[in-house]
Amino acid sequence: MLDYIWLVPFLPLFGFVINGLVGTRLPRRVVGIIACGTVGLAFLISLTAFFVLPDQPVPDKVLYSWIKVGDFKADFAFQVDPLSIIMILIVSGVAFVIHIYSIGYMHDDPGYSRYFAYLNLFVCAMLLLVLANNFLMMYIGWEGVGLCSYLLIGFWYERKSAADAGKKAFIVTRIGDFGFALGIMLIFKTFGTIDISEVMHLAQGRFEVGAPILTAITLLLFLGAVGKSAQIPLYVWLPDAMEGPTPVSALIHAATMVTAGVYMIARCNVLYSLSPTSLMVVAIIGCATAIYAASIGLVQNDIKRVLAYSTISQLGYMFMACGVGAFAAGIFHLMTHAFFKALLFMGAGSVIHALAGEMDIRHMGGLKRYMPTTYKTFLIAALAIGGIFPFAGFFSKDEILWRAFEQNYILWAIGVITAAMTSFYIFRLVFKTFAGESRVEKEKLVHVHESPRVMTVPLVILGVMSVIGGLAGVAKAFPLLGMSRFFSEKLNILRFLEPVTGGHHAEGGQAVGLERWLMLASLLIALLGIYIAYQFYVRNPQLPKRLARRLGRAYNFVLNKYKVDELYDFLFVNPAKRFSVFLWRIWDDRIIDGIVNGTAGFFKVCGHIGRRVQTGYVQTYILLIIIGAVIIIWYCL
Amino acid sequence: MSPYGSFPLLSIILFLPLVGALVILLINKKWVKQIRVVALVTSLVVFALSLPLFFNFDSSTHELQWVEKKPWIPQYGISYFIGIDGINLLLVLLTTFTSVLAILSSWKAITERVKEYMILMLLLETGMLGVFVSLDLFLFYIFWEVMLIPMYFLIGVWGGPRRIYAAVKFFLYTMAGSVLMLVGILWLYHIGGGTTFNLFELLKVPLTGHQQLWLFLGFFLAFAIKIPMFPFHTWLPDAHVEAPTAGSVILAAVLLKMGVYGFLRFCLPLFPDASIEFMPIISVLAIIGIIYGALVSMVQPDLKRLVAFSSVSHLGFCVLGIFAFNMLGIQGSILQMVNHGLSTGALFLLVGMIYERRHTRMIADFGGLSKVLPLFATFFGIVTLSSIGLPGLNGFVGEFLILVGSFLFRPLYAILAATGIVLAAVYMLWMFQRVMYGELDKPENRALKDLSVREITTMVPIIALIFFIGVFPRPFLRRMEASVQHLILQVETKRSQEPLYVEKMKERIKEFFHNNETSTD
């Protein structure tokens, strides 16, 4: 079965080719079936692979030799191990649900087949990324998801803002790719191979902890992750990525693209573990991004933008996990986040769909009466992301916080504060959208309706996953559940990933008690966030306005996203443009061409002067001859 | 030597375009259609004949294949010596391939003096092929110069409004370089005893460091102008903008490669010490070219100028790869020449197609074109992605190999050059957005017709190759392997152990300071 693993990325590729080439001529039904079918089949194969995966390592599945020059070898080959299996399950599974949802969401769009073609390509690129057995192949997927995000964010390209956002996504992430590419080169220079497992193997034998070359490699790779996974300072593309159709946002934020960075670091955990400096950088960047993005999320009024900043913030958690060496916990949070974030976006999409494109939560409210399924599933997702027991986010977030606590209290404290902010902004969203009085415009309110089944069923599926998903990683310290061998050993994703991410930490008796207290603390803090949101947006709707007025400047500064886009324009974009114009107009046209044309001009002038001598008068010639003769004679004498 | 015995396949390929030109000469100039057909058929046959060169190429050896060697002017040691190895094989194919597309693309665009135009195109093909296959320096120089003449007329007669300025600039710039190369060739001939122009004989001539430096500089300038390397590039945008589409395609796809090829064929093996000596300067110029070309093309308002400057950037990569002196760099560089030929050639074709429809190339005059020209937009998009080196397409393989090769050699060079990858995405995607995306707000653009069958036929082979090389680059890389390995070996073994000028100078300075230090102590 595992020999057919190549089908997992190739099935969506097949869908892309068919829909891309002849999709416009096929009936919509067929387009949808091809798109969903290929991804669904890929999911089924992944699922089978999950069950037949043996305990001992599986050799890489080589398809063919892609590049071979000198010592440099890159095969087109797939790596099958617990980590890649978990990833393909998440990617193909969540993507499949999103594909189904898209059938309903994009129903009337004229670019229907183009949309599904791109969507399939997106999934294909991501699956290649996670299955790659060498860094260069991973780079195909890495840039491939960048391309697809470009195409899909800019899907409605007639809108300038959409086209701009697509371009921004590609270019900003490419700055990260620059680091990733250099990282690959340094890996090749250091190890003489780019095969991932070989590199990990060699690194363990050859280098001491803290070797500078490994720090350089891991930091370069991390630059790539910062770009793709939207961390400080390269996160700026993700909020703008909201210009794409909403299911695309769900895909980007949950299954494909942004998770790539976290996956890559987990994949290279051996390298990172050997480099404490890099781990510290990862943890600090992750932690800073988590709280920074959450703070912006507190005040945004666009339903999708709140979710976008929440993704950035949640990714920060995942990096924090990797940074404290809890790679498996990072992947666990990646998984639960995929469920509830896809659900949140699709719920938001359902709302937007019902309100004919309205995205501003100030013009929503009271929608729970009209859209009960959307409301209920959205609420589940909100509870999950808020970290409320027993929803999925609670388990994964607590695992991260606990591991952070073991390393550094400050990281833990920031993580907990961020958790409070998370539950606040997400419930602000819930209350402003679904609760209270309706602020929807009258003519729109008439048309408000629950979305069709093709959209609500995916919501329910993900709702279920957001409830039970956390059970895949119940901590041993957890009362009752943790005692059961079934939860802490068999069904445990952290254990499952151990062959790749290394051993789980040992748990002493005392620590269990402490861990329980911390769980309780973070749960209470999350509830506090919800309570404040309730007070603000249900009990005293005037309160936030007054607060905003009181805080005036600070509020606006945060509302404008700390003006980072403007800062980047000022620091990089505009000077680069001015400098380029200078190079062209002054350096090229004036200086170089000045010299070139000047040379020509010089000879022209010489010619003009020389021409004067040729007067045609015999007298002049005789005079010149005499002068010449005199000079020669005088010189000789 | 040759799989076909003594059958002179290479000579036939080389001179068939000339025969075609002679045939056209005999056709009445009013029979425009027949002239076009003859030209197209000739170029197609030449291309078909060149395919066996690729498929029957023995990739296990660096020895020349399909060699033909006859004395030509024996009293001066000049011979007709042509052959194929892994270094010029792909370039010959690129030439025969692009010639077909160039002629096909001029079908409708050229309506005046069709006869003269097609004759010049075919002459140009012979000239270009001659440059790549000649292994006698005298013969090489003749083709090198012959090729200039048809190009000069193509720009000067069928070009845009400032065609005369552009043509003269192109001609003089290139001439200035070639004259010095001629001096270099003659001097080398003289040092070699004045008996032969055969490259492989001349390779055996021992040169002092002093001689190498000056000879290298003579050759270097000719090649650097042709490539063009920064700061000798200013003829290129003018020539591209004024040239007719086919001229631009040939210029970008083939002519620019001659300089890079010259480095590989002549500079490295003939003057290994000087090559290593000048490596830092050349690499820095290449890197400046990469970044400079990218930045300047970012702000160009004219599509053709933008693509022209992007060529400066791409060719910088090719040069950088060669002067890494390793397998990765040089193989990547040769492959990148082919890739650039395909993608930039295709870009010029596409710009030509839109120019035929709208009679403008200004980016500001477009916008939202993908609504009315979906097929055109798709092709344009794929070519754009190939040009910015998207993995899975051809450009990536070459670019990445060059960067790795360069990284192994001098990491800093690779780091600087890699910024070019980011910049390429900026200028290409921004251009693409302004032309293809946005609203279709210009009324002139509403009625545009999508590509015709002829235009699709021109594009499809390129697109197919763009994908093929991206996914299966091995057939191409494998064929150059032995030759490149041999070339590197040549450079390594021929290198004298004696330090050159600059090294000596450095040592003297060091000694000087050292002495001073010891004396003050």
Side-chain angles (χ1 to χ4, degrees):
Chain A
M1 189 61 218
L2 293 178
D3 288 332
Y4 297 101
I5 201 79
W6 59 273
L7 276 172
V8 172
F10 275 77
L11 278 167
L13 184 68
F14 175 73
F16 160 71
V17 171
I18 298 291
N19 278 339
L21 287 180
V22 293
T24 45
R25 271 173 240 153
L26 296 173
R28 294 201 159 201
R29 229 190 150 71
V30 178
V31 170
I33 289 171
I34 290 173
C36 299
T38 49
V39 179
L41 269 177
F43 175 67
L44 285 181
I45 295 175
S46 313
L47 205 60
T48 329
F50 173 75
F51 284 114
V52 300
L53 185 73
D55 286 337
Q56 56 274 29
V58 183
D60 295 344
K61 308 288 172 200
V62 183
L63 220 55
Y64 70 95
S65 163
W66 179 33
I67 297 177
K68 188 171 165 295
V69 176
D71 307 325
F72 186 84
K73 267 205 309 261
D75 288 338
F76 215 89
F78 303 104
Q79 183 174 21
V80 188
D81 68 356
L83 181 57
S84 58
I85 293 285
I86 286 286
M87 285 305 293
I88 57 175
L89 272 177
I90 300 171
V91 172
S92 60
V94 174
F96 175 62
V97 178
I98 295 172
H99 271 68
I100 302 265
Y101 175 89
S102 293
I103 292 180
Y105 193 85
M106 297 300 285
H107 195 261
D108 306 318
D109 199 278
Y112 193 75
S113 62
R114 183 166 60 97
Y115 172 84
F116 275 108
Y118 291 165
L119 217 56
N120 273 358
L121 186 65
F122 210 156
V123 177
C124 163
M126 189 66 193
L127 290 168
L128 273 183
L129 193 160
V130 297
L131 278 169
N133 92 322
N134 63 66
F135 284 100
L136 203 63
M137 214 183 116
M138 194 195 256
Y139 193 72
I140 302 184
W142 196 263
E143 286 254 289
V145 291
L147 166 72
C148 296
S149 67
Y150 165 74
L151 294 170
L152 281 166
I153 294 167
F155 183 73
W156 289 313
Y157 54 75
E158 297 93 336
R159 274 212 314 258
K160 185 171 183 305
S161 55
D164 276 339
K167 188 184 63 190
K168 188 172 175 185
F170 193 88
I171 291 169
V172 172
T173 57
R174 209 165 216 220
I175 296 171
D177 297 354
F178 161 81
F180 192 68
L182 288 176
I184 299 175
M185 289 171 208
L186 190 56
I187 286 173
F188 180 67
K189 193 179 162 95
T190 313
F191 298 101
T193 174
I194 51 165
D195 184 290
I196 295 173
S197 30
E198 255 177 72
V199 168
M200 298 307 145
H201 189 72
L202 288 172
Q204 261 166 337
R206 220 186 270 173
F207 291 99
E208 296 289 308
V209 173
I213 192 88
L214 291 186
T215 308
I217 289 174
T218 43
L219 285 180
L220 282 171
L221 293 180
F222 182 56
L223 180 59
V226 165
K228 278 279 128 76
S229 297
Q231 298 293 292
I232 291 173
L234 296 181
Y235 68 90
V236 287
W237 65 270
L238 194 60
D240 288 18
M242 295 301 110
E243 291 289 341
T246 309
V248 171
S249 308
L251 198 62
I252 290 178
H253 289 249
T256 59
M257 188 92 175
V258 295
T259 52
V262 182
Y263 162 77
M264 189 267 291
I265 290 184
R267 175 55 82 200
C268 302
N269 65 79
V270 176
L271 294 181
Y272 280 89
S273 301
L274 285 170
S275 169
T277 320
S278 300
L279 278 183
M280 200 175 70
V281 172
V282 174
I284 291 173
I285 294 272
C287 183
T289 308
I291 190 159
Y292 171 82
S295 75
I296 301 178
L298 294 176
V299 294
Q300 296 301 310
N301 288 318
D302 181 315
I303 185 167
K304 285 171 79 181
R305 267 182 199 263
V306 177
L307 296 178
Y309 282 105
S310 125
T311 302
I312 300 174
S313 169
Q314 295 296 312
L315 286 164
Y317 272 117
M318 298 177 210
F319 281 107
M320 196 158 88
C322 292
V324 298
F327 303 100
I331 295 292
F332 179 34
H333 195 58
L334 185 159
M335 180 181 85
T336 58
H337 177 258
F339 299 144
F340 56 70
K341 189 48 67 67
L343 178 52
L344 284 169
F345 268 110
M346 283 158 48
S350 178
V351 169
I352 295 166
H353 195 69
L355 295 179
E358 181 60 67
M359 297 189 203
D360 194 326
I361 50 174
R362 286 169 296 189
H363 301 145
M364 294 180 184
L367 289 177
K368 68 178 165 191
R369 259 165 293 158
Y370 304 95
M371 319 180 67
T373 317
T374 304
Y375 167 65
K376 279 177 206 152
T377 49
F378 199 90
L379 186 64
I380 290 171
L383 289 165
I385 194 176
I388 308 299
F389 175 81
F391 298 93
F394 169 78
F395 294 96
S396 54
K397 197 181 281 180
D398 266 347
E399 181 67 26
I400 293 174
L401 287 176
W402 167 239
R403 296 296 301 270
F405 183 81
E406 284 182 321
Q407 288 265 325
N408 190 321
Y409 298 142
I410 302 171
L411 290 179
W412 175 82
I414 296 176
V416 170
I417 295 169
T418 307
M421 287 157 89
T422 308
S423 62
F424 172 81
Y425 68 66
I426 205 72
F427 274 88
R428 169 176 175 261
L429 207 58
V430 172
F431 294 140
K432 286 198 89 164
T433 310
F434 295 101
E437 288 300 304
S438 170
R439 297 178 299 279
V440 183
E441 292 158 38
K442 282 259 164 56
E443 59 269 31
K444 277 185 183 163
L445 198 58
V446 187
H447 302 289
V448 172
H449 55 90
E450 181 59 280
S451 296
R453 287 275 286 280
V454 69
M455 286 164 73
T456 51
V457 170
L459 293 179
V460 173
I461 296 173
L462 284 176
V464 172
M465 292 313 287
S466 301
V467 178
I468 63 169
L471 298 178
V474 178
K476 244 199 174 129
F478 196 82
L480 296 173
L481 282 180
M483 312 284 187
S484 124
R485 256 183 64 82
F486 178 73
F487 282 113
S488 62
E489 300 285 337
K490 276 207 170 141
L491 192 80
N492 199 309
I493 182 175
L494 305 171
R495 292 257 174 254
F496 184 70
L497 287 174
E498 246 170 42
V500 185
T501 57
H504 205 245
H505 60 124
E507 281 161 294
Q510 231 182 348
V512 172
L514 187 58
E515 197 179 345
R516 285 182 183 163
W517 281 113
L518 290 178
M519 273 181 201
L520 192 63
S522 70
L523 183 61
L524 288 176
I525 283 175
L527 288 171
L528 180 72
I530 298 176
Y531 177 72
I532 298 174
Y534 180 72
Q535 285 294 333
F536 269 37
Y537 299 103
V538 182
R539 296 293 296 272
N540 296 311
Q542 295 310 314
L543 202 62
K545 267 183 206 151
R546 266 189 310 206
L547 200 65
R549 220 172 296 136
R550 280 275 293 280
L551 293 171
R553 276 207 181 150
Y555 172 78
N556 276 325
F557 189 50
V558 181
L559 186 67
N560 289 321
K561 302 156 253 167
Y562 299 100
K563 304 222 172 199
V564 170
D565 277 328
E566 288 81 356
L567 182 73
Y568 286 179
D569 277 347
F570 175 74
L571 284 181
F572 306 114
V573 181
N574 296 336
K577 272 188 199 163
R578 274 200 296 274
F579 181 58
S580 304
V581 172
F582 162 79
L583 287 180
W584 174 35
R585 286 294 185 200
I586 307 294
W587 179 256
D588 237 50
D589 282 1
R590 294 270 169 79
I591 299 183
I592 300 184
D593 262 2
I595 293 170
V596 172
N597 293 335
T599 316
F602 171 71
F603 286 113
K604 228 175 178 175
V605 171
C606 289
H608 276 295
I609 293 168
R611 203 180 60 183
R612 294 263 173 85
V613 181
Q614 318 260 321
T615 54
Y617 296 116
V618 183
Q619 296 95 314
T620 324
Y621 293 151
I622 291 176
L623 183 69
L624 285 173
I625 290 170
I626 292 171
I627 292 173
V630 168
I631 291 174
I632 291 169
I633 292 166
W634 187 58
Y635 184 78
C636 289
L637 289 173
Chain B
M1 279 287 201
S2 151
Y4 295 162
S6 60
F7 182 71
L9 177 65
L10 200 54
S11 283
I12 292 175
I13 292 171
L14 178 56
F15 291 112
L16 197 63
L18 201 62
V19 175
L22 287 175
V23 172
I24 293 179
L25 201 62
L26 300 175
I27 302 177
N28 187 327
K29 70 175 177 190
K30 282 183 187 141
W31 297 2
V32 175
K33 197 170 176 203
Q34 282 78 354
I35 290 172
R36 285 182 183 139
V37 170
V38 170
L40 181 63
V41 169
T42 312
S43 64
L44 273 173
V45 171
V46 173
F47 175 60
L49 286 175
S50 69
L51 286 177
L53 298 181
F54 183 82
F55 289 108
N56 292 332
F57 186 83
D58 179 3
S59 45
S60 64
T61 172
H62 69 267
E63 297 285 336
L64 288 170
Q65 304 178 34
W66 286 282
V67 184
E68 289 171 42
K69 196 170 160 191
K70 303 245 157 47
W72 180 21
I73 313 176
Q75 55 269 47
Y76 297 115
I78 299 169
S79 57
Y80 172 71
F81 179 21
I82 57 176
I84 292 281
D85 66 0
I87 291 170
N88 58 8
L89 171 71
L90 293 181
L91 294 169
V92 167
L93 272 122
L94 183 68
T95 309
T96 57
F97 179 71
T98 354
S99 294
V100 177
L101 300 182
I103 288 173
L104 207 57
S105 77
S106 341
W107 212 257
K108 285 244 173 76
I110 303 298
T111 48
E112 279 172 41
R113 300 173 203 251
V114 177
K115 181 173 170 178
E116 290 85 346
Y117 179 88
M118 289 301 175
I119 290 175
L120 288 172
M121 282 302 269
L122 291 172
L123 282 181
L124 187 60
E125 187 174 2
T126 292
M128 295 185 300
L129 287 170
V131 168
F132 289 131
V133 297
S134 300
L135 298 162
D136 180 284
L137 261 71
F138 194 82
L139 191 66
F140 167 78
Y141 187 75
I142 287 179
F143 280 118
W144 179 271
E145 292 292 336
V146 158
M147 183 196 69
L148 282 183
I149 298 158
M151 200 65 213
Y152 171 78
F153 284 113
L154 283 177
I155 299 174
V157 177
W158 289 271
R162 289 175 74 228
R163 55 182 179 261
I164 301 296
Y165 172 74
V168 171
K169 197 174 180 183
F170 162 74
F171 198 85
L172 288 185
Y173 237 121
T174 326
M175 258 326 243
S178 343
V179 167
L180 289 176
M181 182 168 72
L182 179 63
V183 176
I185 291 177
L186 292 177
W187 191 20
L188 187 63
Y189 172 72
H190 178 73
I191 298 169
T195 50
T196 181
F197 280 100
N198 181 331
L199 173 64
F200 291 84
E201 295 298 320
L202 290 174
L203 280 175
K204 294 176 198 148
V205 176
L207 298 171
T208 65
H210 178 79
Q211 287 166 336
Q212 279 201 29
L213 283 187
W214 288 105
L215 283 169
F216 179 89
L217 279 178
F219 279 79
F220 167 75
L221 200 66
F223 298 147
I225 288 175
K226 201 76 167 191
I227 287 174
M229 285 180 73
F230 177 87
F232 310 111
H233 63 274
T234 55
W235 64 269
L236 186 73
D238 285 317
H240 267 313
V241 167
E242 300 306 324
T245 299
S248 288
V249 172
I250 298 268
L251 197 59
V254 186
L255 257 64
L256 304 190
K257 310 297 145 53
M258 291 178 176
V260 186
Y261 170 74
F263 280 141
L264 279 172
R265 180 65 86 198
F266 302 105
C267 285
L268 255 55
L270 280 171
F271 324 117
D273 298 295
S275 301
I276 291 168
E277 188 86 353
F278 280 108
M279 178 278 296
I281 299 173
I282 294 174
S283 299
V284 167
L285 284 180
I287 292 164
I288 294 177
I290 290 170
I291 298 170
Y292 182 91
L295 284 176
V296 176
S297 86
M298 191 165 72
V299 289
Q300 295 305 313
D302 179 318
L303 279 173
K304 258 192 166 179
R305 265 194 123 77
L306 188 149
V307 182
F309 275 109
S310 84
S311 285
V312 176
S313 187
H314 284 285
L315 268 294
F317 275 105
C318 293
V319 175
L320 187 69
I322 286 176
F323 284 87
F325 305 114
N326 55 31
M327 291 292 282
L328 287 153
I330 296 180
Q331 288 207 44
S333 178
I334 297 176
L335 192 66
Q336 191 60 10
M337 285 198 256
V338 177
N339 293 336
H340 173 263
L342 292 172
S343 60
T344 308
L347 278 175
F348 278 122
L349 283 173
L350 288 162
V351 173
M353 289 172 192
I354 195 72
Y355 182 76
E356 277 175 46
R357 287 166 170 71
R358 276 285 275 112
H359 301 287
T360 174
R361 284 184 310 257
M362 290 297 153
I363 295 173
D365 290 339
F366 301 116
L369 291 193
S370 55
K371 263 262 129 69
V372 275
L373 306 171
L375 201 58
F376 177 77
T378 309
F379 285 147
F380 207 120
I382 295 170
V383 174
T384 300
L385 294 172
S386 149
S387 175
I388 64 179
L390 188 86
L393 302 182
N394 61 346
F396 172 72
V397 183
E399 221 166 65
F400 198 82
L401 286 175
I402 290 172
L403 285 174
V404 178
S406 166
F407 193 90
L408 294 177
F409 184 61
R410 294 275 194 283
L412 182 65
Y413 292 171
I415 294 170
L416 292 173
T419 57
I421 304 183
V422 179
L423 293 174
V426 176
Y427 67 79
M428 286 307 280
L429 291 185
W430 193 33
M431 178 272 285
F432 191 78
Q433 180 190 356
R434 285 177 293 164
V435 174
M436 295 298 170
Y437 292 165
E439 274 179 52
L440 194 63
D441 47 4
K442 311 271 185 317
E444 303 93 314
N445 293 333
R446 296 240 168 87
L448 293 178
K449 281 218 173 67
D450 211 349
L451 301 187
S452 69
V453 175
R454 177 183 56 86
E455 288 167 327
I456 295 172
T457 322
T458 334
M459 289 309 297
V460 165
I462 303 183
I463 301 290
L465 274 171
I466 282 176
F467 279 107
F468 188 85
I469 298 180
V471 182
F472 300 102
R474 289 269 284 141
F476 299 86
L477 292 170
R478 211 176 52 227
R479 282 176 171 74
M480 57 179 98
E481 203 163 29
S483 298
V484 173
Q485 206 153 28
H486 180 68
L487 176 70
I488 293 169
L489 201 72
Q490 267 177 324
V491 176
E492 290 295 320
T493 49
K494 237 196 115 191
R495 260 177 75 180
S496 57
Q497 300 310 315
E498 169 202 3
L500 286 177
Y501 259 38
V502 181
E503 286 299 315
K504 271 184 198 158
M505 205 62 101
K506 274 187 204 157
E507 264 165 38
R508 262 182 221 162
I509 292 169
K510 254 185 219 160
E511 268 167 33
F512 177 78
F513 279 108
H514 192 69
N515 290 344
N516 273 10
E517 269 169 32
T518 44
S519 61
T520 48
D521 278 345

